[in-house]
Amino acid sequence: MTEQIDKALAREYEAGFVSDVESETFEPGLDENVIRRISEMKGEPEWMLEWRLSAFREWLEMEEPEWALVDYPKIDFQSISYYSAPKSMKDKPKSLDEVDPELLRTYEKLGIPLIEQQMLAGIAVDAVFDSVSVVTTFREKLEEAGVIFCPISEALHKYPDLVKKYIGSVVPKKDNYYAALNCAVFTDGSFVYIPKGTRCPMELSTYFRINEQNTGQFERTLIIADEGSHVSYLEGCTAPQRDENQLHAAVVELVAMDNAEIKYSTVQNWYPGDENGKGGIYNFVTKRGICHTNAKISWTQVETGSSVTWKYPSCILKGDNSVGEFYSVALTRGRQQADTGTKMIHIGKNTKSTIISKGISAGRSNNSYRGLVRMNPGAEGARNFTQCDSLLIGDQCGAHTFPYVESRNPSAIIEHEATTSKVSDEQMFLCRQRGLDPEKAVSMIVNGFCKEVFKELPMEFAVEAGKLLEISLEGSVG
Amino acid sequence: MSNTKSLLTIKDLHASVEEKQIIKGLDLNIKPGEVHAIMGPNGAGKSTLGYVLSGRDGYTVDSGSVTLDGEDLLEMETEDRARAGLFLAFQYPVEIPGVSNLEFLKASVDAQRQARGEDAITSADFLKEAKAACKQVNLPVAFLKRGVNEGFSGGEKKRNELMQMLLLKPKLCILDETDSGLDIDALQVVAEGVNSQRSADRSFIVVTHYQRLLDYIKPDFVHVLSDGKIVKSGDASLALELEAQGYAWLQKEPAEDELEG
């Protein structure tokens, strides 16, 4: 049976192509001059450059974290290029007609058509290619509702006060090694502002694509949902298939004001490296949201890519009655390593959090859940429910669970459930005895295992995620 | 022997599990529409026979031949045997959490239809059929939405197996100790379901330890399996004889290779 599953798992990475786009790329290397150049390229205000430089100085003093259960050679930060942009983007195309057709073709090939007529109605997309945003669709329609959805580089010009007020307010500059690096060198990303009492009329989505070789991608996303507003945001990502590892260190900050709700969904499909662990993306990401009174933040992630993942989308439940949710599916195969989970910090009274984590390990991969639930002394009546399930496919992979629980309030209730199961011979035999081929059998069993998380994804994404898993397991496509 | 072509032909089958030989020279011939009961003491190789025929991993055929409808069954992958019309009703049906019964059944039916070059059945039509099948095996329709066997009682699992059989419409059904763990009411429901499926183009191998099931499902032939071989064959009355005398008298008898169904 193991042989059949291995076969089923040996898939190709469909997003692994390289686009032939002429780019302007910085020489590899990192010092204050590089940061000044990035800031200059973006025409940033002085305070932003100062902010970047102070983060860089902090970063120089920091140590690369080693506590995660992942193993990779030391990264040489001087061998990475910190800025790369298609040349055609230099003159800032004003409409889609002016965008390099090769860029549009790239996104079309990835299944993200940027021509509005062809797009899924109801989803606005910000397409980020290496270090710049290529295009943001449906902006006018969003503006009618007062919603701001634009590249963060543009927001720095148009809405400097909003950016200045909130950037670094949820993830401080020196929060951690990679976050500090991101603060210093981030190039682009999305900015979202939903005004008071507004329900965003469509799903917002950012699609990140790394194309250039030896380039790191450091994007920064900032979403602010003002009082009583509501937004659902989706994030997708892919990269070409290369033998060298590439670094992706993003920071995402969410601010949910009183009574606001943010739903943030990710389908992460960075190139995972080949079956022997050669190549692939190092995905070191800091994602965190703050909930004010009665606010709610819901993180849903489907992680199938990257050679190494280090990622803990978290919620600070500051306001009374606020709610944090984390729904995660992490699939690792080949030599992939994932150390992922969440932090739920309960500060306000009657705050509630739910954590549902599904880890699937196959091949010779390692998959860890790491999560912290903290009940502060003021978190009267707070509740958490955590469920961590691991599914093993084959007998050479690993699944690990590291739950950290800190309760400083006796009225808080914390529940934790964990299971580990295997795709059993009996299950495979039942499926095949009913006429299903082994690939279909494995993907059906895995999809069933993930059902609780998939139902949290927006419709289009749920279908996409199901397919991605099926594809991941099927052997034909990526 | 009539001239009807046989559906299943097993010749001098030897098979082992983990290098231990369990089936030791078994012959069996089943024609379309026939019901054969296979009885025998524990450890005789009854369940092993079902697994070997359906191609479960870990069950190795050492020698002999098996044909289904004239095709070499042993050459086929597990799923291809199913698509060729072989169905095994499990003694202990396994759970597949999160995969709904309906989804599982539809995928199975789709896979089999596709293999036969038939058009896919529409979801609406399939749902209609599935609901009718539920009714026939006395399972609430809500079971279609539940995970495959997830939290089902023993009886519900067996009825669920039967429902799968109704929808897949196989040529050869192997019922592996379907009566185990069933109370008399559940047994009757299952037996009625099986009887309703008896037809000129569907055959059954009913594996059972007890005669009880055969009160409800009348076999055309009864075979006694002992130490990996069929040691005695007869008609339905043989089952009654076994009920009265047990298996011991047969195990002492020297095996006769000529005995055949």
Side-chain angles (χ1 to χ4, degrees):
Chain A
M1 185 189 80
T2 315
E3 196 183 309
Q4 281 147 3
I5 290 174
D6 283 349
K7 213 174 96 200
L9 288 169
R11 54 137 173 180
E12 299 214 353
Y13 182 70
E14 219 193 24
F17 64 91
V18 180
S19 302
D20 187 14
V21 172
E22 216 186 324
S23 287
E24 179 171 10
T25 305
F26 282 10
E27 284 295 304
L30 180 59
D31 56 23
E32 293 204 1
N33 275 333
V34 169
I35 293 164
R36 284 177 206 280
R37 274 175 73 200
I38 292 172
S39 190
E40 198 185 312
M41 296 286 286
K42 304 268 174 192
E44 286 175 354
E46 185 63 23
W47 65 264
M48 193 68 240
L49 173 63
E50 285 308 320
W51 194 78
R52 286 174 179 277
L53 290 173
S54 76
F56 179 63
R57 287 165 201 148
E58 302 271 15
W59 179 74
L60 288 173
E61 303 295 317
M62 294 168 87
E63 298 274 333
E64 205 170 335
E66 282 174 355
W67 42 262
L69 193 65
V70 291
D71 185 26
Y72 57 92
K74 255 215 155 354
I75 298 170
D76 177 6
F77 290 94
Q78 296 303 333
S79 70
I80 297 171
S81 164
Y82 289 82
Y83 184 87
S84 177
K87 277 202 170 139
S88 61
M89 294 303 296
K90 209 169 177 188
D91 306 322
K92 290 251 164 200
K94 284 172 190 64
S95 71
L96 268 176
D97 305 339
E98 294 177 23
V99 173
D100 181 354
E102 184 59 30
L103 289 174
L104 296 180
R105 266 197 297 278
T106 300
Y107 285 91
E108 210 176 301
K109 243 169 124 175
L110 295 167
I112 325 281
L114 297 173
I115 312 291
E116 295 192 0
Q117 292 87 328
Q118 297 173 4
M119 291 184 51
L120 285 167
I123 303 185
V125 179
D126 183 18
V128 176
F129 192 87
D130 289 331
S131 304
V132 289
S133 168
V134 174
V135 69
T136 311
T137 62
F138 288 116
R139 284 171 69 163
E140 282 161 27
K141 191 173 173 198
L142 291 167
E143 273 164 25
E144 280 170 34
V147 171
I148 302 169
F149 179 39
C150 68
I152 198 158
S153 53
E154 188 182 319
L156 271 163
H157 294 280
K158 286 192 175 165
Y159 318 100
D161 296 344
L162 275 174
V163 178
K164 194 173 181 179
K165 184 171 175 191
Y166 290 107
I167 196 166
S169 70
V170 189
V171 178
K173 271 183 295 190
K174 50 190 264 189
D175 185 81
N176 68 70
Y177 191 74
Y178 303 111
L181 178 64
N182 175 285
C183 291
V185 301
F186 79 88
T187 43
D188 222 332
S190 301
F191 176 80
V192 176
Y193 173 78
I194 316 290
K196 272 184 196 171
T198 304
R199 203 177 171 88
C200 186
M202 55 205 322
E203 304 267 352
L204 305 183
S205 167
T206 302
Y207 195 90
F208 295 100
R209 173 74 178 171
I210 297 178
N211 187 61
E212 199 57 29
Q213 209 158 356
N214 300 324
T215 305
Q217 193 177 52
F218 304 92
E219 91 264 359
R220 186 139 195 135
T221 297
L222 176 57
I223 299 177
I224 303 149
D226 214 329
E227 289 172 22
S229 69
H230 180 285
V231 64
S232 171
Y233 180 93
L234 323 169
E235 175 201 81
C237 34
T238 55
Q241 198 160 336
R242 296 190 193 282
D243 286 348
E244 303 81 29
N245 294 105
Q246 276 180 289
L247 177 61
H248 171 256
V251 171
V252 175
E253 294 178 284
L254 310 183
V255 179
M257 308 295 276
D258 293 356
N259 302 302
E261 186 176 337
I262 302 174
K263 189 172 172 62
Y264 192 107
S265 314
T266 306
V267 172
Q268 188 262 104
N269 187 24
W270 294 117
Y271 177 53
D274 70 10
E275 63 196 71
N276 298 314
K278 200 170 168 62
I281 303 289
Y282 292 156
N283 191 35
F284 301 145
V285 172
T286 306
K287 290 181 167 177
R288 194 175 304 154
I290 187 161
C291 285
H292 294 278
T293 306
N294 295 324
K296 177 176 171 182
I297 288 177
S298 182
W299 297 101
T300 305
Q301 60 171 22
V302 177
E303 305 275 319
T304 63
S306 299
S307 63
V308 180
T309 297
W310 182 98
K311 180 181 168 189
Y312 316 90
S314 304
C315 298
I316 301 169
L317 303 171
K318 188 178 175 212
D320 291 351
N321 309 312
S322 59
V323 176
E325 294 174 341
F326 174 75
Y327 300 101
S328 170
V329 166
L331 170 82
T332 54
R333 52 180 201 91
R335 296 285 188 133
Q336 278 178 279
Q337 306 173 66
D339 193 301
T340 184
T342 184
K343 288 190 274 187
M344 292 290 176
I345 312 296
H346 292 251
I347 299 170
K349 291 190 184 72
N350 300 315
T351 45
K352 260 198 281 191
S353 63
T354 304
I355 298 169
I356 310 280
S357 164
K358 304 275 182 178
I360 303 137
S361 333
R364 302 169 75 174
S365 69
N366 246 323
N367 199 327
S368 307
Y369 166 82
R370 188 183 302 276
L372 166 69
V373 176
R374 177 185 293 157
M375 302 296 188
N376 276 17
E380 205 64 34
R383 291 197 70 148
N384 161 266
F385 174 74
T386 300
Q387 186 186 326
C388 294
D389 298 326
S390 306
L391 183 69
L392 300 166
I393 303 176
D395 52 13
Q396 295 186 68
C397 52
H400 316 272
T401 306
F402 303 101
Y404 303 83
V405 175
E406 296 171 13
S407 185
R408 300 202 181 90
N409 186 309
S411 71
I413 299 170
I414 299 169
E415 291 173 82
H416 184 98
E417 289 177 8
T419 66
T420 301
S421 50
K422 286 189 86 160
V423 172
S424 69
D425 287 1
E426 283 88 354
Q427 287 171 331
M428 287 297 287
F429 179 53
L430 168 62
C431 291
R432 295 181 69 194
Q433 210 302 303
R434 297 306 184 245
L436 302 175
D437 53 44
E439 288 89 347
K440 176 75 187 166
V442 174
S443 80
M444 185 181 259
I445 294 165
V446 170
N447 266 292
F449 175 75
C450 300
K451 187 164 271 179
E452 283 164 281
V453 172
F454 284 175
K455 72 178 203 292
E456 296 297 328
L457 287 169
M459 198 51 166
E460 297 82 358
F461 250 37
V463 175
E464 198 59 31
K467 266 196 233 152
L468 187 62
L469 275 199
E470 190 155 328
I471 281 165
S472 294
L473 296 159
E474 237 174 26
S476 49
V477 256
Chain B
M1 282 216 176
S2 74
N3 293 326
T4 325
K5 251 177 88 184
S6 78
L7 175 70
L8 181 79
T9 307
I10 305 176
K11 282 190 184 147
D12 197 25
L13 183 68
H14 289 74
S16 42
V17 184
E18 288 170 2
E19 295 180 9
K20 185 169 187 262
Q21 200 167 75
I22 309 284
I23 305 288
K24 303 172 182 171
L26 187 142
D27 294 277
L28 187 63
N29 207 350
I30 296 180
K31 288 177 185 160
E34 290 178 352
V35 175
H36 291 242
I38 295 190
M39 303 183 69
N42 290 327
K46 302 194 296 292
S47 290
T48 299
L49 178 61
Y51 290 147
V52 169
L53 293 179
S54 50
R56 181 168 188 167
D57 282 343
Y59 290 74
T60 317
V61 173
D62 302 314
S63 63
S65 70
V66 182
T67 58
L68 181 72
D69 249 353
E71 301 278 325
D72 185 348
L73 193 72
L74 303 178
E75 277 297 300
M76 297 183 202
E77 292 288 347
T78 309
E79 56 273 23
D80 293 327
R81 298 182 194 196
R83 293 165 186 173
L86 186 148
F87 180 93
L88 175 68
F90 289 84
Q91 184 177 5
Y92 304 109
V94 67
E95 298 187 4
I96 309 181
V99 177
S100 81
N101 235 344
L102 190 67
E103 186 185 348
F104 176 70
L105 288 167
K106 176 83 163 55
S108 305
V109 169
D110 283 349
Q112 297 211 11
R113 288 178 77 108
Q114 199 188 353
R116 292 194 295 261
E118 296 168 18
D119 287 340
I121 186 168
T122 67
S123 296
D125 286 346
F126 183 74
L127 185 62
K128 227 182 274 172
E129 272 192 41
K131 281 181 174 169
C134 266
K135 205 171 164 200
Q136 200 176 340
V137 301
N138 207 11
L139 277 179
V141 172
F143 273 66
L144 292 173
K145 289 266 168 75
R146 287 177 54 179
V148 176
N149 294 319
E150 207 179 343
F152 290 18
S153 72
E156 287 164 349
K157 284 182 182 171
K158 295 294 172 71
R159 279 182 272 161
N160 203 35
E161 292 291 291
L162 186 59
M163 179 165 73
Q164 292 170 29
M165 188 182 95
L166 298 184
L167 290 167
L168 290 168
K169 305 181 179 72
K171 286 182 197 160
L172 175 67
C173 308
I174 304 169
L175 310 181
D176 186 10
E177 308 224 10
T178 293
D179 51 334
S180 71
L182 291 188
D183 61 30
I184 200 77
D185 293 334
L187 188 69
Q188 279 179 357
V189 170
V190 170
E192 275 165 26
V194 170
N195 287 331
S196 76
Q197 293 301 297
R198 287 179 76 157
S199 74
D201 54 7
R202 181 165 299 130
S203 312
F204 289 84
I205 296 176
V206 181
V207 173
T208 181
H209 188 74
Y210 299 104
Q211 194 269 336
R212 187 177 70 152
L213 180 65
L214 305 179
D215 287 340
Y216 300 97
I217 303 173
K218 274 267 175 246
D220 300 307
F221 300 94
V222 174
H223 310 279
V224 179
L225 189 67
S226 178
D227 195 26
K229 280 184 207 172
I230 288 175
V231 293
K232 195 168 178 65
S233 296
D235 60 15
S237 64
L238 176 59
L240 293 167
E241 216 173 310
L242 290 167
E243 177 82 349
Q245 305 190 26
Y247 292 108
W249 61 283
L250 284 166
Q251 283 167 297
K252 280 176 206 137
E253 240 177 46
E256 289 173 51
D257 288 334
E258 294 75 30
L259 278 169
E260 209 185 326

